Each structure stands twice: as structure tokens, then as C-alpha cells.
Amino acid sequence: FSSCAQLSSFQTGKTLGKGTNQITVTATGYGVTGEPGSIIEGDLAIFPFIEVMGQFGITDRLDLGLKLSTGGNAQGHAKFQFAGSLESKFAAALGGGLSYQWADEVRVYRAHVPLYLSYHPGEKDAIYATPRYIYQSVSDDSNAYFLGSSLGYSRQLSQNFTLFLEGNISKPFVENDMNETLLYQFGVGGGWRF
């Protein structure tokens, strides 16, 4: 199982609400197109990975969370809902997170700044987008930043279970290197509330 940065969202612009918690498990395909001269030379290579995320409702407007992936990533994050309510049709929240990726010979740290936006046409459905900026610090000086966005759909199947479908596209910008690499993700997830 392999992955690079955690680019996925699998959550809407709404927070969970005080005292509500959620465990989300996702299976995702991580795709990358290579630049000329790279191993994959413009082809789309797909790598599967699994993520587990715990989200904890601290207040009605603040969630804290932890995300782990089979790609060796661990991320702590927070989400503050500044627009809408737990019952509104539109919601927006600002997030922030720090992650670490276990790698063979280098240390990789990332700072995430996502903006969670969602429209809820009914009580059980949501369409969401999560534009995201990531700054990546690597111990071998291959620092980079990522710009991209997730786009997804969620459906509450029961009082305690929500199904997520999500896609993502991101562009990494490596310092002192103009590359043509694009990163893609598409996955499915399930969230259990308690």
C-alpha cells in the first residue's frame, strides 16, 4: 500500500456537533502522471491505500481529528465552521493540520490549510468541495507545495452511518523544479457516528 500526501477530505463543511464523534474508513486509488524522463513518463500509475480518520466534536463549531494511512502518513487536524449551522443548507469551515510521513531515508512534514464547503439539498445528502493548500518540508531539501481540491458526495444511510464518494486533483510545485506531475485520487468511504 502506497501514498504520498494525504489529499483527501471525506467530510463536508459542517462540524459534527459537541459530543459527537465519527470514525471514517476509506479505500482510495492514488494516481500520478509522470513528467518526461520519469519512470512513468506521462502514464497514469495507480496505487491503492487505506485511511482511517477519527473526528471529535469539541463544540458545535470545532472538530479535532487524527488521520492515519497505509502510506505511512499521520495527521492531526482541526476544523472550525464559520458559516452555516448543523441544520443549514450551506456550510463552510476552515481547517488546519500537521502531518508526518514515514519514509526510508528522509523526513517529510506537511502543513495543510483546507477550506471545507458544502451544499446540503436534503437532510441526508451533501455535495462538497475542499480546496487545499499544503506546504511540504523534506529533510533532503526537496521542499514543495501542493494546490488542489477534493469534490465529493455524501449520503447518510442511517442515523449512524454515512457513505462518501470523492475525487481529487492536485498539482505539486517542487522548489527549483518545473515539473508536469499531477496527482489524482478517487475513493469511497464510510463514516460511523457515535
Side-chain angles (χ1 to χ4, degrees), residues 42-72:
D43 292 334
L44 178 62
I46 307 253
F47 306 97
F49 70 99
I50 295 171
E51 290 179 326
V52 177
M53 179 174 61
Q55 199 80 0
F56 310 98
I58 304 303
T59 71
D60 281 348
R61 294 208 173 263
L62 177 66
D63 288 351
L64 296 180
L66 177 66
K67 188 191 299 188
L68 303 171
S69 83
T70 57

Short mmCIF file of all heavy atoms in Angstrom, two decimals, residues 42-72:
data_model
loop_
_atom_site.label_atom_id
_atom_site.label_comp_id
_atom_site.label_asym_id
_atom_site.label_seq_id
_atom_site.Cartn_x
_atom_site.Cartn_y
_atom_site.Cartn_z
N GLY A 42 4.58 10.15 -18.24
CA GLY A 42 3.29 10.62 -18.74
C GLY A 42 2.14 9.67 -18.55
O GLY A 42 1.00 10.03 -18.73
N ASP A 43 2.43 8.40 -18.20
CA ASP A 43 1.36 7.44 -17.95
C ASP A 43 0.74 7.70 -16.58
O ASP A 43 1.35 8.34 -15.73
CB ASP A 43 1.88 6.00 -18.00
CG ASP A 43 2.31 5.61 -19.41
OD1 ASP A 43 1.78 6.20 -20.37
OD2 ASP A 43 3.17 4.73 -19.53
N LEU A 44 -0.44 7.15 -16.39
CA LEU A 44 -1.11 7.27 -15.09
C LEU A 44 -0.85 5.99 -14.30
O LEU A 44 -1.27 4.92 -14.71
CB LEU A 44 -2.61 7.48 -15.29
CG LEU A 44 -3.45 7.59 -14.02
CD1 LEU A 44 -3.02 8.79 -13.19
CD2 LEU A 44 -4.92 7.68 -14.36
N ALA A 45 -0.10 6.10 -13.23
CA ALA A 45 0.15 4.96 -12.35
C ALA A 45 -0.79 5.08 -11.15
O ALA A 45 -0.98 6.15 -10.61
CB ALA A 45 1.60 4.96 -11.88
N ILE A 46 -1.41 3.96 -10.75
CA ILE A 46 -2.39 3.97 -9.66
C ILE A 46 -1.85 3.12 -8.51
O ILE A 46 -1.39 2.01 -8.71
CB ILE A 46 -3.74 3.39 -10.14
CG1 ILE A 46 -4.19 4.11 -11.37
CG2 ILE A 46 -4.74 3.39 -9.01
CD1 ILE A 46 -5.30 5.05 -11.25
N PHE A 47 -1.95 3.68 -7.30
CA PHE A 47 -1.51 2.98 -6.10
C PHE A 47 -2.66 2.98 -5.10
O PHE A 47 -3.21 4.04 -4.80
CB PHE A 47 -0.30 3.69 -5.47
CG PHE A 47 0.83 3.90 -6.43
CD1 PHE A 47 0.97 5.11 -7.09
CD2 PHE A 47 1.73 2.88 -6.68
CE1 PHE A 47 2.01 5.32 -7.98
CE2 PHE A 47 2.78 3.07 -7.57
CZ PHE A 47 2.92 4.29 -8.22
N PRO A 48 -3.05 1.82 -4.55
CA PRO A 48 -4.14 1.78 -3.58
C PRO A 48 -3.65 2.11 -2.18
O PRO A 48 -2.49 1.86 -1.84
CB PRO A 48 -4.61 0.32 -3.64
CG PRO A 48 -3.37 -0.43 -3.99
CD PRO A 48 -2.56 0.48 -4.89
N PHE A 49 -4.52 2.71 -1.37
CA PHE A 49 -4.21 2.90 0.04
C PHE A 49 -5.49 3.03 0.84
O PHE A 49 -6.56 3.25 0.31
CB PHE A 49 -3.27 4.09 0.27
CG PHE A 49 -3.87 5.44 0.03
CD1 PHE A 49 -4.34 6.21 1.08
CD2 PHE A 49 -3.96 5.96 -1.25
CE1 PHE A 49 -4.88 7.47 0.87
CE2 PHE A 49 -4.49 7.21 -1.48
CZ PHE A 49 -4.96 7.97 -0.41
N ILE A 50 -5.34 2.87 2.14
CA ILE A 50 -6.47 2.93 3.08
C ILE A 50 -6.17 4.01 4.10
O ILE A 50 -5.03 4.15 4.55
CB ILE A 50 -6.67 1.57 3.77
CG1 ILE A 50 -7.08 0.53 2.73
CG2 ILE A 50 -7.72 1.67 4.88
CD1 ILE A 50 -7.10 -0.89 3.24
N GLU A 51 -7.21 4.77 4.46
CA GLU A 51 -7.09 5.79 5.52
C GLU A 51 -8.12 5.51 6.61
O GLU A 51 -9.22 5.04 6.31
CB GLU A 51 -7.37 7.19 4.97
CG GLU A 51 -6.31 7.73 4.06
CD GLU A 51 -6.65 9.12 3.53
OE1 GLU A 51 -7.85 9.41 3.31
OE2 GLU A 51 -5.71 9.90 3.36
N VAL A 52 -7.74 5.81 7.83
CA VAL A 52 -8.66 5.76 8.97
C VAL A 52 -8.58 7.12 9.64
O VAL A 52 -7.50 7.62 9.95
CB VAL A 52 -8.27 4.65 9.97
CG1 VAL A 52 -9.21 4.67 11.18
CG2 VAL A 52 -8.29 3.30 9.30
N MET A 53 -9.76 7.75 9.84
CA MET A 53 -9.80 9.09 10.43
C MET A 53 -10.76 9.10 11.60
O MET A 53 -11.90 8.64 11.48
CB MET A 53 -10.24 10.12 9.38
CG MET A 53 -10.34 11.54 9.94
SD MET A 53 -10.69 12.81 8.69
CE MET A 53 -12.28 12.29 8.07
N GLY A 54 -10.30 9.64 12.72
CA GLY A 54 -11.17 9.88 13.87
C GLY A 54 -11.43 11.38 13.97
O GLY A 54 -10.50 12.18 13.90
N GLN A 55 -12.70 11.75 14.06
CA GLN A 55 -13.11 13.16 14.14
C GLN A 55 -13.92 13.32 15.42
O GLN A 55 -14.80 12.50 15.70
CB GLN A 55 -13.96 13.51 12.92
CG GLN A 55 -14.06 14.97 12.62
CD GLN A 55 -12.83 15.51 11.90
OE1 GLN A 55 -11.88 14.81 11.60
NE2 GLN A 55 -12.86 16.79 11.62
N PHE A 56 -13.61 14.37 16.20
CA PHE A 56 -14.21 14.52 17.52
C PHE A 56 -14.82 15.91 17.66
O PHE A 56 -14.12 16.91 17.49
CB PHE A 56 -13.14 14.28 18.60
CG PHE A 56 -12.40 13.00 18.37
CD1 PHE A 56 -11.15 13.02 17.75
CD2 PHE A 56 -12.95 11.79 18.72
CE1 PHE A 56 -10.46 11.83 17.51
CE2 PHE A 56 -12.27 10.60 18.48
CZ PHE A 56 -11.03 10.62 17.87
N GLY A 57 -16.12 15.98 17.95
CA GLY A 57 -16.83 17.25 18.09
C GLY A 57 -16.54 17.87 19.45
O GLY A 57 -17.07 17.43 20.47
N ILE A 58 -15.72 18.91 19.47
CA ILE A 58 -15.34 19.58 20.71
C ILE A 58 -16.41 20.59 21.12
O ILE A 58 -16.80 20.66 22.28
CB ILE A 58 -13.96 20.27 20.56
CG1 ILE A 58 -12.90 19.26 20.11
CG2 ILE A 58 -13.55 20.96 21.86
CD1 ILE A 58 -12.73 18.06 21.00
N THR A 59 -16.87 21.39 20.15
CA THR A 59 -18.00 22.29 20.33
C THR A 59 -18.87 22.14 19.09
O THR A 59 -18.55 21.38 18.18
CB THR A 59 -17.56 23.77 20.48
OG1 THR A 59 -17.09 24.25 19.21
CG2 THR A 59 -16.47 23.94 21.53
N ASP A 60 -19.97 22.90 19.01
CA ASP A 60 -20.81 22.83 17.81
C ASP A 60 -20.09 23.37 16.58
O ASP A 60 -20.49 23.10 15.45
CB ASP A 60 -22.12 23.59 18.01
CG ASP A 60 -23.12 22.76 18.81
OD1 ASP A 60 -22.89 21.54 19.00
OD2 ASP A 60 -24.13 23.34 19.26
N ARG A 61 -19.03 24.14 16.76
CA ARG A 61 -18.31 24.73 15.62
C ARG A 61 -16.87 24.26 15.49
O ARG A 61 -16.18 24.68 14.56
CB ARG A 61 -18.33 26.26 15.74
CG ARG A 61 -19.73 26.83 15.59
CD ARG A 61 -19.68 28.23 15.05
NE ARG A 61 -21.00 28.73 14.75
CZ ARG A 61 -21.55 28.71 13.55
NH1 ARG A 61 -20.91 28.22 12.54
NH2 ARG A 61 -22.75 29.20 13.35
N LEU A 62 -16.39 23.38 16.36
CA LEU A 62 -14.99 22.96 16.32
C LEU A 62 -14.86 21.45 16.43
O LEU A 62 -15.36 20.84 17.37
CB LEU A 62 -14.20 23.61 17.47
CG LEU A 62 -12.72 23.21 17.59
CD1 LEU A 62 -11.92 23.70 16.39
CD2 LEU A 62 -12.14 23.74 18.89
N ASP A 63 -14.17 20.85 15.44
CA ASP A 63 -13.81 19.44 15.46
C ASP A 63 -12.29 19.32 15.53
O ASP A 63 -11.57 20.13 14.93
CB ASP A 63 -14.25 18.72 14.17
CG ASP A 63 -15.74 18.50 14.07
OD1 ASP A 63 -16.46 18.74 15.06
OD2 ASP A 63 -16.18 18.08 12.99
N LEU A 64 -11.82 18.30 16.21
CA LEU A 64 -10.41 17.91 16.17
C LEU A 64 -10.35 16.50 15.61
O LEU A 64 -11.28 15.71 15.80
CB LEU A 64 -9.79 17.95 17.57
CG LEU A 64 -9.70 19.32 18.24
CD1 LEU A 64 -9.07 19.19 19.62
CD2 LEU A 64 -8.93 20.31 17.40
N GLY A 65 -9.24 16.18 14.92
CA GLY A 65 -9.16 14.86 14.31
C GLY A 65 -7.76 14.33 14.18
O GLY A 65 -6.77 15.05 14.33
N LEU A 66 -7.70 13.04 13.87
CA LEU A 66 -6.45 12.34 13.61
C LEU A 66 -6.69 11.40 12.44
O LEU A 66 -7.71 10.70 12.40
CB LEU A 66 -6.02 11.54 14.85
CG LEU A 66 -4.76 10.70 14.70
CD1 LEU A 66 -3.54 11.59 14.50
CD2 LEU A 66 -4.57 9.81 15.93
N LYS A 67 -5.76 11.41 11.47
CA LYS A 67 -5.89 10.58 10.28
C LYS A 67 -4.61 9.77 10.10
O LYS A 67 -3.51 10.31 10.19
CB LYS A 67 -6.13 11.46 9.06
CG LYS A 67 -6.45 10.68 7.80
CD LYS A 67 -6.43 11.52 6.53
CE LYS A 67 -7.41 12.65 6.50
NZ LYS A 67 -7.46 13.30 5.17
N LEU A 68 -4.74 8.47 9.83
CA LEU A 68 -3.62 7.58 9.57
C LEU A 68 -3.85 6.89 8.23
O LEU A 68 -4.99 6.59 7.88
CB LEU A 68 -3.50 6.52 10.66
CG LEU A 68 -3.36 7.02 12.09
CD1 LEU A 68 -3.47 5.86 13.08
CD2 LEU A 68 -2.04 7.74 12.27
N SER A 69 -2.76 6.63 7.48
CA SER A 69 -2.91 5.94 6.19
C SER A 69 -1.86 4.86 6.04
O SER A 69 -0.81 4.90 6.69
CB SER A 69 -2.81 6.92 5.02
OG SER A 69 -1.46 7.18 4.69
N THR A 70 -2.15 3.89 5.17
CA THR A 70 -1.20 2.82 4.90
C THR A 70 0.02 3.33 4.13
O THR A 70 0.98 2.61 3.97
CB THR A 70 -1.86 1.69 4.10
OG1 THR A 70 -2.41 2.22 2.89
CG2 THR A 70 -2.94 1.00 4.91
N GLY A 71 -0.01 4.59 3.68
CA GLY A 71 1.14 5.20 3.03
C GLY A 71 2.15 5.75 4.03
O GLY A 71 3.11 6.41 3.64
N GLY A 72 1.95 5.49 5.32
CA GLY A 72 2.89 5.95 6.32
C GLY A 72 2.65 7.37 6.78
O GLY A 72 3.55 8.01 7.32
#
